[in-house]
Amino acid sequence: MQRIKLITTLCLVLGLIHSTLAQSSVDETVKEWERAKAYTKEYLDAMPESGYGLKPTPEMRSFAEQMLHLTDGNYGFAAQATGAQSPVGQGESEKAGDKSKANVTKLVLAGYDFVINNVKKMTPAQLNESIKLFGQFEMTKAGVLAKVFEHQTHHRGQTTVYLRLAGAKPPQEKLF
């Protein structure tokens, strides 16, 4: 009887620990996206209005286009991971006619809000579900969110050079 009680208690405790850790993975994902949003906003704020059209070379994206490309990725990947309908068509943000600082900032932050708000609705079990990203890459939904996080980090990082070329100081690294 004591042994059964001990095993039952142990299972209950392990179940609670697993549930807490699983939920923390959703919470941690949201926290990381909120940090990324704040960091990207610092980049958007650091670039003067005159630098939004800056292209380091003619074949490269402008600063505005880099940020809007990052946003398109946020919408596309997050829609796949969360099952939410993206309010923006594939590549639509980057094609925006108004590439002013105010409009780009508004569009980019809305893209982060889309990711954050839809990840908040996910359960730990949903993060572990497998999907075929864009119909060809088998991975978990958490893996999809990690890929888009890498994508936005990559493109934001590229804009450090743009800021320097515009004579602006890039934001301090924001790891936490």
Side-chain angles (χ1 to χ4, degrees):
M1 185 66 169
Q2 285 285 38
R3 183 176 250 196
I4 292 173
K5 222 182 215 181
L6 178 63
I7 291 171
T8 302
T9 302
L10 185 58
C11 287
L12 179 62
V13 169
L14 289 175
L16 288 171
I17 289 171
H18 178 266
S19 175
T20 301
L21 290 176
Q23 184 57 48
S24 73
S25 67
V26 173
D27 295 340
E28 283 297 315
T29 301
V30 169
K31 182 180 172 187
E32 288 301 308
W33 277 97
E34 288 171 341
R35 179 183 57 82
K37 176 185 174 185
Y39 194 29
T40 303
K41 173 83 165 62
E42 290 178 17
Y43 270 76
L44 293 162
D45 291 345
M47 180 59 88
E49 178 77 43
S50 62
Y52 271 66
L54 175 69
K55 291 183 172 192
T57 64
E59 68 277 359
M60 292 177 73
R61 290 180 172 104
S62 69
F63 177 85
E65 290 164 344
Q66 281 283 11
M67 289 297 188
L68 294 171
H69 174 76
L70 170 161
T71 301
D72 283 328
N74 286 355
Y75 278 114
F77 280 73
Q80 294 264 315
T82 66
Q85 180 69 39
S86 173
V88 174
Q90 186 176 354
E92 193 176 299
S93 299
E94 195 172 343
K95 295 175 188 163
D98 180 358
K99 292 189 172 81
S100 67
K101 181 173 183 163
N103 194 54
V104 170
T105 299
K106 180 183 87 169
L107 295 175
V108 171
L109 297 182
Y112 278 100
D113 288 340
F114 177 79
V115 176
I116 292 164
N117 292 333
N118 285 294
V119 170
K120 282 180 180 178
K121 296 174 189 173
M122 294 181 79
T123 65
Q126 287 173 315
L127 279 178
N128 292 318
E129 290 174 1
S130 287
I131 64 167
K132 212 165 213 176
L133 179 64
F134 304 125
Q136 61 188 59
F137 304 106
E138 187 77 31
M139 63 183 64
T140 64
K141 291 179 177 184
V144 173
L145 292 170
K147 290 293 182 193
V148 70
F149 196 88
E150 179 181 351
H151 179 263
Q152 63 88 36
T153 300
H154 168 77
H155 287 284
R156 182 184 57 229
Q158 287 181 324
T159 65
T160 299
V161 174
Y162 293 64
L163 288 168
R164 295 253 183 232
L165 289 172
K169 184 178 183 212
Q172 194 67 22
E173 189 171 21
K174 191 181 207 88
L175 290 177
F176 305 98

